[in-house]
């Protein structure tokens, strides 16, 4: 009997809890109960978030109006939440993952399997610090990832979408994860390519910045789709250079082309980049982020900088004209209109 | 010295003339003059279209406001237009191609090379009747194709975009075509996969119908990108079944993913399908086409029907749930909302 705990309870974590809970009550090889670790907060009226979730079966702060399922149990005690679980779903902002892993070291079942829904690894000169690798190394467990075109609120409303699970070697575990997440409106498939899937979830944000520049400059659909295509090819090439095991077919999965489309059509990176281009680069990304995202953070600018450092350190700049140009524009070295001039630098 | 004639002078043909003429005057291995066959029409004021193009250097009917280049020579006589050319660019509505080929048989240089910019082949039970094959067989010449995310008016305004040339065997000819079309704002690459490139240009219209249904039903970005991704995979699989030589990498080129994105974001197929879904299927495609497209024709519905006939004849229906569902909805067998229910038929 498998027992599931969700580490995290934000917007996407709450939707994941709802998806999973709808399956565990139906599947005979899973305990019904899904434990969800809640980072305790005091709401404006003085109530504790955990208590309100218990009373209302809703995460009133991060997913208001959606019932999670009676078998979701909110737990503010991280160690207590994980101790019985053999399936751990990680879904927190990425900057918290290192601290969480330290707290969990030695506190989880030795036979546990992990899956990360966390987007936004750091890319360092030495290579990409994948969240799944952090979890594997710190907790000594196998860790898969789940990524895709997943706007949490749309999934909460049961609108049809898809996701991709990337696994390392344990195919049986991957199939159990598919069983746990898949519903008639949330179509999950698995591929043996954890690096490819996780790289998609990070690199797409650089392309979304480029797409935002095109939108801000009102350059039209032709140009935008060309930029998205070139971005997809650079995502593939960069992932393959860092991890030779990466499969090109992964980029045709939901985590690849579909998530890229969603992120370049809506999404916060696109939005702020469009505003940056409309202002001709005269207002900073920090200022526009604060104004437009109201506390949410955009990752594409930071990722573009990190990737650019890898490109220069390894002599790959000329092979990635779009990634390079996004960095050069977002750091103020070039004007936004340069986004369509990179093709003179090199031929893709 | 290469000599170029463009067979066709509509919107896309006129833009092609402008692109090509800007290159032939610069390239030493091409005659400056670009001849453009014009299907003669009498304008409302009584003038002949050819005469007006000669006087104004503009195709006032199909590309008003854009100078074609002084080295573009409009010619209403088809046989005269082609007789000296060794490079023939075909760009007419697809239903005229058979008649044009018959008229040209024996009238062209035996060393001529062709390239087709014509989208919309017929898919018959015996297989796909590609336009490039029609040209090759009827005129006994080698024929490449050029496809991509190419909204003609955006290219005429010199907005950055891309295209893909698919060639059969003659790499030297493909390189000459790239030389002829490529400009700083129109980035052309070639792949040895004429079938893959040409299939993209036709099959994308089925996916655009599906994307239109999603828009009409207001199902959101997640669902739309999922449907586009599934459509792309069915395009790949169907092309590969008909032509085993097709390369999956072709679908990462402009003719593939980029043209698909453009067509699913704007485009007439998407537009009419969205209206069809908004009306719950109660107003016919023919009626909506007449009202919304004002004489232009939409191809996706017909292509979906043709492809469905191939699927049934060959026993492939279950492998193509999206293509099948688009046919079933557009022929009135299912309601538009069924577009997201196909995943219960089979797992992609």
């Amino acid at each position: 009997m498998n027992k599931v705990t969700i580490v995290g309870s934000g917007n996407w974590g709450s939707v994941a809890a709802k998806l999973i809970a709808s399956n565990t009550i139906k599947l005979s090889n899973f305990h019904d109960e899904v434990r969800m670790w809640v980072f305790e907060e005091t709401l404006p009226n003085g109530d504790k978030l955990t208590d309100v979730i218990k009373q209302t079966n809703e995460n009133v702060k991060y997913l208001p109006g959606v019932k999670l399922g009676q078998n979701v149990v909110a737990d503010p005690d991280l160690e207590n939440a994980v101790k019985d679980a053999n399936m751990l779903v990680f879904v927190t902002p990425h900057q918290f993952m290192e601290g969480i892993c330290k707290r969990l070291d030695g506190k989880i079942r030795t036979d546990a399997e992990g899956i990360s829904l966390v987007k936004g690894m750091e890319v360092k000169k030495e290579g990409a610090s994948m969240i799944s690798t952090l979890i594997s190394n710190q907790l000594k467990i196998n860790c898969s990832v789940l990524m895709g075109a997943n706007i949490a609120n749309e999934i909460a409303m049961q609108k049809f979408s898809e996701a991709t699970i990337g696994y390392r070697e344990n195919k049986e575990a991957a199939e159990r994860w598919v069983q746990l997440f898949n519903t008639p409106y949330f179509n999950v498939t698995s591929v043996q390519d954890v690096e490819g899937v996780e790289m998609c979830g990070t690199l797409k944000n650089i392309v979304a910045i480029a797409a935002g520049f095109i939108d801000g400059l009102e350059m039209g659909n032709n140009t935008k789709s060309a930029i998205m295509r070139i971005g997809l090819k650079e995502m593939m090439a960069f992932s393959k250079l860092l991890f030779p095991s990466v499969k090109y077919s992964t980029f045709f999965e939901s985590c690849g082309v579909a998530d890229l489309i969603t992120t370049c059509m809506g999404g916060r990176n696109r939005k702020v980049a469009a505003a940056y281009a409309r202002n001709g680069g005269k207002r900073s990304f920090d200022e526009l982020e604060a104004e437009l995202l109201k506390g949410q953070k955009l990752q594409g600018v930071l990722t573009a900088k990190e990737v650019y450092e890898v490109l220069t350190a390894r002599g790959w700049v000329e092979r990635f004209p779009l990634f390079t140009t996004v960095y050069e524009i977002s750091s103020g070295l070039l004007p936004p209109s340069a986004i369509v001039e990179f093709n003179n630098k090199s031929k893709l």
Side-chain angles (χ1 to χ4, degrees), chain A residues 275-297:
Chain A
Y276 185 83
R278 266 196 301 274
N279 286 287
K282 292 198 181 69
R283 296 183 63 198
S284 73
F285 267 98
D286 285 345
E287 187 186 343
L288 292 166
E289 181 186 51
E291 181 177 307
L292 297 171
L293 300 185
K294 302 182 173 76
Q296 284 193 302
K297 290 286 171 190

Side-chain angles (χ1 to χ4, degrees), chain A residues 8-15 17-18 36-39 41 43 48-69 72 74 153:
Chain A
S9 55
N11 185 230
W12 185 207
S14 301
V15 175
K18 174 180 141 79
M36 177 171 80
W37 172 58
V38 176
F39 179 80
E41 299 182 48
L43 299 175
K48 298 281 188 197
L49 180 56
T50 313
D51 293 336
V52 179
I53 295 174
K54 282 181 183 160
Q55 286 152 23
T56 62
N57 197 229
E58 279 182 33
N59 187 334
V60 292
K61 179 153 184 188
Y62 295 106
L63 189 65
V66 176
K67 297 290 176 195
L68 298 176
V72 175
N153 287 328

Side-chain angles (χ1 to χ4, degrees), chain A residues 234-261:
Chain A
E234 292 197 8
M235 287 166 62
M236 292 165 72
F238 186 74
S239 302
K240 190 84 180 166
L241 280 170
L242 287 191
F243 302 101
S245 67
V246 160
K247 297 170 181 164
Y248 288 137
S249 57
T250 297
F251 296 80
F252 281 122
E253 298 297 329
S254 178
C255 62
V257 64
D259 197 12
L260 181 70
I261 293 171

Side-chain angles (χ1 to χ4, degrees), chain A residues 58-104:
Chain A
E58 279 182 33
N59 187 334
V60 292
K61 179 153 184 188
Y62 295 106
L63 189 65
V66 176
K67 297 290 176 195
L68 298 176
Q70 291 296 337
N71 50 331
V72 175
V73 177
D75 187 339
D77 180 339
L78 179 59
E79 291 178 25
N80 187 61
V82 299
K83 70 178 172 26
D84 296 326
N86 70 323
M87 295 179 79
L88 296 169
V89 178
F90 295 93
V91 51
T92 73
H94 69 119
Q95 61 271 26
F96 299 150
M97 279 308 301
E98 204 162 333
I100 287 170
C101 285
K102 281 191 183 134
R103 284 177 62 192
L104 290 183

Side-chain angles (χ1 to χ4, degrees), chain A residues 152-216:
Chain A
N153 287 328
E154 293 186 8
I155 300 167
M157 290 163 71
Q158 309 204 2
K159 291 187 174 177
F160 175 69
S161 67
E162 300 183 303
T164 313
I165 285 173
Y167 65 96
R168 201 170 294 278
E169 266 151 27
N170 192 339
K171 187 168 172 58
E172 181 279 324
E175 281 167 4
R176 243 186 307 141
W177 287 121
V178 169
Q179 226 190 347
L180 187 65
F181 279 97
N182 194 66
T183 75
Y185 62 88
F186 190 65
N187 209 338
V188 183
T189 48
S190 66
V191 294
Q192 188 175 2
D193 183 6
V194 67
E195 290 90 355
V197 175
E198 194 166 343
M199 289 300 284
C200 282
T202 295
L203 297 176
K204 63 164 191 170
N205 290 326
I206 305 179
V207 188
I209 298 282
F213 293 152
I214 302 295
D215 281 352

